[in-house]
Amino acid sequence: MTSPPQAPAPQPAPAAPPVDQGEKEAQAGPSGGGGGVESGVEEEQSSGCCKVKAPRWIRACMHYRFPASIDPFTNLMYVLWMLMVTLAWNWNLWFIPARWAFPYQTPDNIYYWLLTDYLCDLIYILDITIFQPRLQFVRGGDIVVRGFDVASLVPLELFYFKTGINPLLRLPRLLKINSFFEFNERLEAILTKAFIYRVIRTTTYLLYCLHCNACLYYWGSAYQGIGSTKWVYNGEGNSYIRCYYFAVKTLITIGGLPDPTTLFEIVFQLINYFVGVFAFSIMIGQMRDVVGAATAGQTYYRTCMDNTIKYMSSYHIPKDVQNRVKTWYNYTWQSQGMLDEQELLTQLPDKMRLDIAVDVNYSIVSKVPLFQGCDRQMIFDMLKSLRSVVYLPGDYVCKKGEVGREMYIIKAGEVQVVGGPDGRTVFVTLRAGSVFGEISLLAVGGGNRRTANVIAHGFANLFILDKKDLNEILVHYPESKKLLRKKARLNINGATHEQIKNLEPLTLDALYVLSLMEVTVSTTGRC
């Protein structure tokens, strides 16, 4: 009995193009016989079963690989992990003094306290052994090593066998305070309104001071004897709430407390008053700084507006002009959140300013037909020189006959080119992405005067490029300079009347072309 003949495996030709994986599998099916097809179907079914049975988060965990290095400034997962470390640190911070002073740790619940303690220790160990060694940052040219982190795991709990379970032996866990401050820095960096978190954190500082004072007061009461005098805690009600109430009245110096009788009570109360005055004043001052920093921009805006109004009132500026100035201040602040964008960016390095300018403005400038074909780096240099200016409805952007020293790019809003005998005829409406003023800026034909009026149709946000800045840029890009001048000449000489009416893309500067063709006013002598 002979087996059926099998076709030999095909050999790839030397000059044949590479075959992709899908074609290889298609070719392998017929050559392998029916068994190969059945096994492939079985594998597909089995893999399909695995995909159905295994949830997505389990598959993600199975394929997850811990990164070799962690950027603490941009990695969101690291911020979430620091939150876990901060929660573990706060557990020790709040409950070590509470368990030491109050009788909340009993033989019945000691195992729950120890389980939570060792869970926090596990978080400490994971942070020190897995996360911290993968942080890559340098301070002052030296690699930062956290000595306090290792010291926070000193196993003083071994003394439990001799002294019993004393929460004070866990005090070294508080040495991991650097993780708490680092978490605050990372969280404030990603929050849009970080001042709200600062206010909450400052309030928590005050609550913790009251918490420690309540613990000391109960300890002092137990030392003197619960209910032994009128000043100590009398043992009624919830011990923590009653002691916390005493701490609030003491540190905030509300008064109405029973007078201390013994020397210990007098010294304790004197220290309470002194600490309360200093702690409360520091907290109030810090809260004022937080709120002041959060409203610094608003305060600057109000100061500038008030000084401007005071100046206009002293010189008896007409009310309609004053109202327009107020409107400009209000709209500029509401739309931009600042009065001058350049003032904010001047503090940054040149490279960072360029990155921000490219992200914010490049999508608008790159679509302008005038700059298409120019050197990309020239456009980047130009972006850093652009100024953003807001015009109110009806404001004149430029007037007919004035010397042109700027070029305008519409960022948002609309402007209208007006003229005619009455000066109100609207020739064209230019929208976002349009450019005007480049002909006088490039001095094509020897003229640099405006040939028509341009007014803002509604609120308009324009980019302005000064002639001086453009000339300084074009010195380094002669080819782009020739291209810009050529486009400007073609714009004047090559645009037809029908193209102007239909607003085809050929009209790169509708303002000047319209004024040349219809208003018949030009500094070059053409009509």
Side-chain angles (χ1 to χ4, degrees):
M1 182 175 178
T2 59
S3 60
Q6 296 182 355
Q11 299 294 332
V19 182
D20 59 4
Q21 187 66 24
E23 295 178 5
K24 289 181 179 179
E25 293 176 357
Q27 295 174 3
S31 63
V37 176
E38 293 176 358
S39 61
V41 174
E42 290 175 0
E43 290 179 358
E44 184 177 358
Q45 291 177 351
S46 62
S47 62
C49 294
C50 293
K51 290 182 179 179
V52 173
K53 292 181 180 180
R56 181 178 299 177
W57 64 273
I58 293 181
R59 298 199 308 270
C61 293
M62 293 176 61
H63 292 86
Y64 180 76
R65 296 294 181 269
F66 204 82
S69 61
I70 299 175
D71 185 2
F73 299 98
T74 60
N75 195 319
L76 182 59
M77 293 301 297
Y78 179 72
V79 178
L80 295 177
W81 172 252
M82 291 305 300
L83 173 61
M84 295 292 298
V85 178
T86 302
L87 292 176
W89 181 78
N90 273 276
W91 166 269
N92 294 311
L93 183 71
W94 287 80
F95 284 99
I96 287 177
R99 291 160 59 186
W100 165 73
F102 292 93
Y104 291 150
Q105 181 175 292
T106 62
D108 296 333
N109 59 19
I110 188 62
Y111 296 106
Y112 298 105
W113 291 107
L114 293 179
L115 177 62
T116 310
D117 287 344
Y118 295 144
L119 179 61
C120 295
D121 292 347
L122 177 62
I123 295 176
Y124 278 26
I125 294 173
L126 293 177
D127 182 63
I128 294 175
T129 58
I130 297 179
F131 285 87
Q132 299 303 327
R134 286 173 167 79
L135 295 182
Q136 293 186 355
F137 61 95
V138 177
R139 183 180 301 166
D142 299 326
I143 298 177
V144 177
V145 178
R146 291 185 172 183
F148 283 145
D149 284 358
V150 179
S152 64
L153 288 175
V154 174
L156 296 183
E157 288 87 347
L158 296 176
F159 290 98
Y160 283 175
F161 297 102
K162 184 176 182 180
T163 62
I165 301 177
N166 188 350
L168 292 181
L169 294 176
R170 293 186 55 82
L171 282 177
R173 302 296 184 271
L174 303 183
L175 294 177
K176 203 170 174 57
I177 189 173
N178 287 335
S179 297
F180 171 72
F181 291 123
E182 183 181 359
F183 170 72
N184 292 330
E185 294 177 2
R186 301 292 176 263
L187 184 61
E188 291 178 7
I190 62 177
L191 292 177
T192 55
K193 294 183 178 181
F195 71 94
I196 297 178
Y197 174 72
R198 296 190 189 108
V199 171
I200 296 175
R201 187 182 62 201
T202 304
T203 305
T204 306
Y205 290 159
L206 178 60
L207 296 178
Y208 182 73
C209 291
L210 297 173
H211 170 76
C212 292
N213 190 265
C215 295
L216 291 175
Y217 174 65
Y218 186 87
W219 170 81
S221 300
Y223 177 78
Q224 287 283 98
I226 301 296
S228 59
T229 64
K230 293 183 179 180
W231 181 84
V232 300
Y233 169 60
N234 56 12
E236 299 178 358
N238 186 287
S239 58
Y240 182 79
I241 298 298
R242 295 294 182 93
C243 294
Y244 202 92
Y245 175 73
F246 173 86
V248 170
K249 296 183 68 174
T250 302
L251 289 183
I252 305 180
T253 62
I254 296 177
L257 295 172
D259 295 330
T261 55
T262 65
L263 178 63
F264 175 83
E265 295 173 355
I266 294 174
V267 173
F268 188 93
Q269 193 71 349
L270 286 175
I271 296 175
N272 257 352
Y273 282 138
F274 280 116
V275 173
V277 170
F278 283 105
F280 194 70
S281 60
I282 290 174
M283 296 300 173
I284 294 298
Q286 189 173 2
M287 191 74 72
R288 180 202 60 191
D289 295 340
V290 170
V291 176
T295 59
Q298 185 77 16
T299 303
Y300 174 74
Y301 153 70
R302 293 301 311 176
T303 302
C304 292
M305 187 173 180
D306 293 342
N307 292 337
T308 304
I309 295 175
K310 183 179 179 181
Y311 172 83
M312 293 188 297
S313 300
S314 62
Y315 284 92
H316 305 288
I317 304 298
K319 286 295 182 181
D320 58 337
V321 177
Q322 294 189 28
N323 292 333
R324 292 184 65 82
V325 172
K326 294 177 183 178
T327 304
W328 181 87
Y329 268 106
N330 291 329
Y331 179 79
T332 303
W333 178 258
Q334 292 176 5
S335 60
Q336 300 181 169
M338 62 190 72
L339 299 179
D340 187 6
E341 294 180 352
Q342 297 298 325
E343 183 179 355
L344 177 66
L345 299 178
T346 51
Q347 303 175 0
L348 299 176
D350 187 71
K351 182 61 172 63
M352 290 186 179
R353 288 206 307 271
L354 175 60
D355 293 340
I356 294 177
V358 169
D359 292 336
V360 175
N361 304 327
Y362 182 75
S363 60
I364 298 176
V365 177
S366 61
K367 297 178 182 178
V368 176
L370 178 65
F371 301 120
Q372 292 179 359
C374 294
D375 192 296
R376 184 183 179 89
Q377 188 60 42
M378 187 274 291
I379 298 179
F380 287 167
D381 293 343
M382 188 181 64
L383 290 176
K384 294 186 292 185
S385 302
L386 294 177
R387 293 185 294 109
S388 179
V389 179
V390 174
Y391 289 89
L392 302 184
D395 279 353
Y396 278 89
V397 180
C398 56
K399 291 186 177 182
K400 174 181 173 181
E402 68 181 11
V403 178
R405 299 185 179 89
E406 299 94 6
M407 179 179 68
Y408 302 91
I409 303 174
I410 303 178
K411 179 182 179 182
E414 298 178 351
V415 299
Q416 292 179 336
V417 182
V418 297
D422 56 353
R424 297 182 179 179
T425 303
V426 178
F427 294 138
V428 67
T429 299
L430 304 178
R431 296 175 176 82
S434 301
V435 178
F436 59 93
E438 82 277 8
I439 293 181
S440 64
L441 194 66
L442 296 171
V444 176
N448 62 348
R449 289 187 178 272
R450 306 296 189 191
T451 54
N453 296 326
V454 180
I455 62 175
H457 182 58
F459 290 96
N461 194 339
L462 307 182
F463 287 132
I464 298 179
L465 179 62
D466 292 332
K467 184 174 184 178
K468 178 182 177 182
D469 296 334
L470 180 61
N471 290 336
E472 292 177 355
I473 294 173
L474 292 180
V475 168
H476 305 286
Y477 304 96
E479 296 299 327
S480 297
K481 182 177 181 180
K482 294 179 183 179
L483 180 61
L484 290 176
R485 288 181 176 274
K486 181 180 179 180
K487 285 187 175 182
R489 290 191 183 94
L490 291 175
N491 187 37
I492 295 178
N493 300 327
T496 66
H497 188 76
E498 291 298 326
Q499 289 170 340
I500 294 172
K501 282 190 174 182
N502 297 332
L503 295 179
E504 294 182 2
L506 182 62
T507 56
L508 299 177
D509 191 341
L511 165 62
Y512 292 101
V513 178
L514 282 169
S515 61
L516 286 169
M517 303 293 290
E518 298 192 19
V519 186
T520 66
V521 176
S522 174
T523 60
T524 62
R526 293 171 50 87
C527 296

